[in-house]
Amino acid sequence: MIRLFAALVIAIATTAGCTAPAATAAPAPAATNIAEVTGTVAPGAVVSLLPAGIQVPMPEGPAVMDQYAKQFVPGTLYVRVGQPVEFRNTDALGHNVNAHRRGTGATMFDVETDPQQKYVHTFDRVGQYDVTCNEHPGMQATLVAADGPLATMSDDRGQFVLSGVPPGAYRLLVTFEGQTVEQAVTVTGPRTEVRVAP
Ligand SMILES: [Cu+2]
C-alpha cells in the first residue's frame, strides 16, 4: 500500500508538469524482505522459527512481568527458554505469583511478592504457563517460553501466523503437550504456507 501510494504521488507530480527526470524521483523497487509464515498445527501449540545453522543470541537482561494496579503487565509475555524472567511487584500491596504449566498443571513456583520486591525464575522448557496471584483471583496472565524470538501460539483451530520473517532457511519447531516436532522450512515472501507433518 505504501509503495502504491508513493507511485501515485510520483505520477501526480509528473503530470503536474514537473520537469525533473522521473528516474531520480522514483524509489528503487523494494525487494520483498519480510514474509508472513502461516500454517495449521495442533490447537494451543507453541510455534517457533529458528534460522537454520545460526544460534540466535539470548536477549540481554531479563524479561519482565510486573504486578501493577492488581494486574499482570503485560498480560501475555513471550520469553526464551533459559532467559531469566523477573516477576516484579510495583504495587503498594503484597501479591503472590505462581505459574502452572498448561496441560499438565505442574507448579513451576508459588511465592509471595512484597511491594517493590521481585522473584526471578528461568523457564527451562518450551511451553505455555498460566500465571496467577492467589490473593487476587482476577489477576492472571499467560507466559510463553519458546526456543527463539520468532514465536507464537496456534489458535483454537490450530492456525498460526508469524509476521515480519526475513526470507531464508529455517527450522520450524512445534511444541504440543510437551512434545516437539521439527521440520525444515524455506521462507519466501510475501506469504509462506507451511504444511506441518502430523
Ligand atoms: Cu495479587
Side-chain angles (χ1 to χ4, degrees), residues 23 40 57 69 77 89 95 98 101 133 153 157 167 174-175 177:
T40 305
L77 179 65
N89 178 1
H95 287 293
N98 61 79
R101 187 175 172 85
C133 166
M153 290 184 289
R157 293 184 297 167
V174 180
T175 303
E177 292 185 345

Side-chain angles (χ1 to χ4, degrees), residues 67 70 94-96 133 135-136 139:
Q67 292 174 295
K70 286 193 184 180
H95 287 293
N96 158 277
C133 166
E135 320 224 352
H136 306 104
M139 293 179 64

